[in-house]
Structure formats: C-alpha cells, structure tokens
Amino acid sequence: MSKGMYVPKESQPKQGGGAAKAKDGKRKIVAQNKKARHDYAIVDTYEAGLVLTGTEVKSLRQGRASLTDGFVQIDGGEAWLHNAHIPEYSQGTWTNHTVRRKRKLLLHREEIDKLESKSEETGHTIVPLALYFKDGRAKAEIALARGKKEYDKRQTLREKQDRRESDRAIAAAKRKQRGE
C-alpha cells in the first residue's frame, strides 16, 4: 500500500490479530429428542445454556448424548435438566462426571418465571428437544409442551404420510412432464 492512497475499510487489515472465531451462528447438533416431538404438542421453544464440567463438554464434542428420558424441572427459581445421558469421557480419569446427574440450565429470569407458571397448568411439561454447540458453547433447546392423546399421534402420522405421498406424486408428474 502506498502512502496517501485511499483503501476501503473492508479491505484494510484488521488490528489485534488474535485467534477470533467466526461467529456464523452455526449449530452443531449433538443429540435430538425426536420422541418428544411425537409425544408432545410443542407450545413454545427456548434456547438455554448449560452448566457442564470439562469431561461432559469433551464427551459432547465427541457427539455422544441422549435425551430420551430427559425432562426439565424448575426448583427454587432455577431450571434443571434431569435424566439427560452424557456418557463418561473415554480418556477421563477420576475427574469424570456422573452420567445422569442433574444439570443447571441458564435462562433469563422472565423465561424461568413464564415456564414455571405455564408448567404448573394441567397437561403442560417442559422437555428438552436438542443439545448442540453454538459459537463454541453448549446449548439446550427446551420446549413448553402439552401431552398428545393417542389419536392426536395417529393423526400427525397420517398428515405426515399424506404430505409425503403428495410430494411424491408432484415429483412424478414433473418428471413425466419433462419427459424422463
């Protein structure tokens, strides 16, 4: 660059060349609770941070976790994730964590109060939907949900199957129209 020459700000070199990570907001999903979406009608979803130990984070980074029996409970104004299975870290020593311990969820006070009041209503519960990493931090997607009856589950499956069949028929018609 010659002196006195104008260079647009975007192309100027950045100062303080530390190891800054790109914050693109990508989610690296570790575990999903597909059964929860089948068993419950999702009313509202929230993103919560997780308080974890070092070996739990390392185990999650290996992509090993299960939320099938997990649930969220609010005790003393704090949200807790119960029964989420994060297996022991394979290279961990005596500092390894307990597999099914309760883990604290980090939410705003208004969110906790809203979840607590709604979950006390009949038929509502709080279930974890996914564990993932976002910008290098472990997050849990939790949902305020209402239990489905058996006929609701069948109807949801039927709608999903009908949608799939109609998509197939449309795709076949398009292929036929193109002459394939």
Side-chain angles (χ1 to χ4, degrees):
M1 238 183 330
S2 64
K3 200 169 192 173
M5 180 187 216
Y6 173 75
V7 178
K9 190 163 184 111
E10 300 87 45
S11 61
Q12 290 179 1
K14 298 214 188 298
Q15 296 192 353
K21 290 184 179 177
K23 293 206 175 195
D24 52 1
K26 297 284 184 188
R27 291 178 14 161
K28 180 188 172 219
I29 294 179
V30 177
Q32 282 188 321
N33 191 356
K34 293 180 182 177
K35 189 173 170 75
R37 292 195 186 271
H38 175 72
D39 291 341
Y40 299 98
I42 306 301
V43 176
D44 204 3
T45 60
Y46 299 90
E47 181 180 65
L50 280 165
V51 177
L52 301 173
T53 64
T55 54
E56 287 174 324
V57 174
K58 290 180 178 191
S59 185
L60 281 177
R61 289 207 186 275
Q62 289 180 340
R64 300 165 51 205
S66 174
L67 294 171
T68 52
D69 298 330
F71 64 96
V72 177
Q73 197 171 30
I74 299 185
D75 295 327
E78 295 179 334
W80 295 90
L81 176 64
H82 293 269
N83 280 352
H85 183 270
I86 300 176
E88 288 187 347
Y89 181 56
S90 56
Q91 280 98 24
T93 58
W94 57 273
T95 59
N96 245 333
H97 61 277
T98 308
V99 175
R100 285 195 183 268
R101 73 177 186 91
K102 69 179 192 176
R103 295 164 178 92
K104 188 174 181 179
L105 294 173
L106 304 174
L107 290 161
H108 292 283
R109 170 62 42 210
E110 304 86 45
E111 293 174 335
I112 293 173
D113 293 341
K114 184 177 178 183
L115 282 170
E116 186 173 24
S117 65
K118 289 285 189 177
S119 66
E120 289 171 354
E121 291 179 16
T122 47
H124 284 86
T125 186
I126 308 167
V127 292
L129 297 178
L131 283 177
Y132 56 90
F133 283 99
K134 182 177 178 185
D135 297 331
R137 300 190 187 271
K139 303 281 185 179
E141 183 181 18
I142 60 173
L144 181 67
R146 188 176 52 253
K148 282 186 184 178
K149 303 283 188 219
E150 193 63 38
Y151 57 84
D152 289 335
K153 294 178 191 178
R154 285 194 297 264
Q155 183 178 355
T156 304
L157 286 174
R158 194 174 308 117
E159 288 171 359
K160 191 175 179 180
Q161 192 175 17
D162 291 344
R163 202 174 318 116
R164 194 177 299 134
E165 286 175 7
S166 66
D167 289 345
R168 283 185 189 145
I170 290 169
K174 284 182 180 178
R175 278 195 304 272
K176 189 175 182 181
Q177 191 177 34
R178 284 183 281 180
E180 290 180 9

